[in-house]
Amino acid sequence: MKTIGVLTSGGDAPGMNACLRAVVRMALHHGLRVVGIGRGYVGLLNREFVDMNHASVSNIIHLGGTILKTGRSPEFCRPEGRAAAASALREAGIEGLVAIGGDGTFRGADALWREHDFPVIGVPGTIDNDVYGTDATIGFDTAVNIALEAIDRIRDTATSHDRLFFVEVMGRQAGFIALAVGAAGGAEMILVPELEVSIQEIYETIESGVERGKTSSIIVVAEGDEEGGALDIAHAIRSMGSLECRATILGHTQRGGHPTYRDRILATELGAAAVAALLEGEAGKMVGEVDNEVVRTPLPETWGKRKPFDQRLYELARVLAA
Ligand code: F6P
């Protein structure tokens, strides 16, 4: 293999740039040519190709976002789109691809590999941490820390006003961010899609806290929760009694900013591991880190198997918040 391509796709995540730096520099170290592909699969179809050198990834290890930009491509979801993408890659002399992103990125990467025999290695880059085959995804730690800082700030005002706050965090259909933030922030309740809790139960938990003398509370809500978002739940709780409550949606603030130490190291390790995998002739796999070891997982397992929800931490947080 003489030339590899690299792209970032789906929602950006802090640490993607650190990962790009590792991919490019490790590939150059092995004498490979590296082509950066702009805007994920969108740019691949538009042939947004640029040769990367050592300097292309200088001074980016600390930056959020992705210098290659990212995108979500409906065209690439269709077989004709993937056929065009395989031709574009081959015509540019690219023989292997590193795709950094989440499950949508991996579904596309797997199809490209299976349908066109094009070697692709995935690297998990998403704040959601909803990918099987790695303990953490690149960006998760930073997103959790950003949300945690926001929760600490909200606690100051919640305490001062004796208020109840519903704070909504991202995570798509998974509650990994909510659990981490809620447990580390001492939230009175954590609402996640993995566990069903009715509005009535939420109301009763808050009321019993009030009876025990709690004057303020913070409830972390995962955006994918069954009972709706923070605004819906706050509205429902308000209509059930005299509790004064507010809702805050942290939204995209969780996706920006400098990556943490943990995300930079994870990105560095996995970027280098992706290049090593391609050089060893691997394809159709994702590199991840499990128990501090780099592992390779077949791409379909990364979305087909469910990453276990940490029920023990959830219970611990619940008991300690009572
Ligand atoms: O997958 C990352 C993520 O930030 C999710 O947590 C969220 O549901 C989604 O992307 C938001 O997507 P968009 O940036 O397209 O609004």
Side-chain angles (χ1 to χ4, degrees):
M1 189 170 289
K2 291 199 175 64
T3 303
I4 65 164
V6 60
L7 57 78
T8 48
S9 167
D12 60 298
M16 279 183 163
N17 280 325
C19 188
L20 286 172
R21 172 180 176 272
V23 170
V24 170
R25 294 218 171 141
M26 187 50 74
L28 294 174
H29 174 76
H30 285 287
L32 299 172
R33 177 180 158 236
V34 191
V35 177
I37 300 164
R39 298 175 207 281
Y41 296 131
V42 179
L44 171 50
L45 288 164
N46 294 336
R47 302 182 187 224
E48 293 177 33
F49 299 149
V50 55
D51 268 11
M52 309 283 282
N53 57 34
H54 205 269
S56 314
V57 288
S58 289
N59 303 320
I60 65 165
I61 196 168
H62 63 299
L63 296 179
T66 158
I67 57 160
L68 283 182
K69 299 191 184 267
T70 185
R72 293 190 172 110
S73 168
E75 202 184 335
F76 191 80
C77 295
R78 293 192 283 273
E80 316 81 81
R82 291 191 292 273
S87 303
L89 286 164
R90 290 196 165 113
E91 283 164 26
I94 300 169
E95 297 155 286
L97 179 67
V98 176
I100 308 166
D103 69 333
T105 305
F106 297 159
R107 284 170 205 260
D110 183 60
L112 191 63
W113 158 238
R114 278 185 296 102
E115 294 165 7
H116 300 283
D117 209 19
F118 196 89
V120 188
I121 292 291
V123 182
T126 164
I127 63 166
D128 301 335
N129 201 24
D130 56 348
V131 174
Y132 180 87
T134 190
D135 289 339
T137 52
I138 297 165
F140 172 66
D141 187 65
T142 308
V144 167
N145 279 295
I146 291 167
L148 195 55
E149 189 185 329
I151 295 232
D152 291 348
R153 288 167 192 260
I154 289 170
R155 197 173 279 289
D156 289 346
T157 176
T159 313
S160 306
H161 281 269
D162 290 342
R163 273 179 183 159
L164 163 65
F165 269 85
F166 291 91
V167 184
E168 183 177 313
V169 297
M170 278 187 166
R172 220 176 268 278
Q173 296 309 313
F176 296 105
I177 296 179
L179 175 61
V181 169
E188 274 64 27
M189 277 188 99
I190 305 168
L191 304 177
V192 291
E194 288 83 353
L195 300 167
E196 216 179 305
V197 181
S198 68
I199 294 288
Q200 185 62 31
E201 285 172 272
I202 299 169
Y203 184 78
E204 284 167 13
T205 307
I206 300 164
E207 278 287 290
S208 85
V210 171
E211 279 160 23
R212 290 194 316 279
K214 264 190 199 288
T215 53
S216 66
S217 290
I218 290 184
I219 299 185
V220 174
V221 185
E223 66 176 352
D225 189 66
E226 298 269 309
E227 294 297 337
L231 285 169
D232 306 317
I233 299 176
H235 180 71
I237 294 295
R238 208 178 281 125
S239 67
M240 291 172 82
S242 57
L243 289 165
E244 199 190 351
C245 55
R246 295 284 187 275
T248 304
I249 299 170
L250 299 183
H252 289 80
T253 56
Q254 294 157 99
R255 279 216 324 235
H258 300 305
T260 57
Y261 155 77
R262 286 181 72 152
D263 274 332
R264 293 183 202 194
I265 297 297
L266 181 65
T268 300
E269 297 273 12
L270 296 186
V275 174
L278 279 177
L279 284 172
E280 285 169 30
E282 281 277 30
K285 303 242 171 95
M286 179 197 81
V287 289
E289 211 174 72
V290 176
D291 294 336
N292 290 322
E293 297 282 340
V294 172
V295 296
R296 297 171 185 171
T297 303
L299 285 169
E301 288 184 22
T302 65
W303 71 85
K305 288 192 174 177
R306 202 167 169 77
K307 184 182 232 173
F309 181 74
D310 192 344
Q311 190 77 38
R312 192 201 55 83
L313 181 61
Y314 179 85
E315 271 308 309
L316 178 61
R318 195 183 64 76
V319 168
L320 297 183

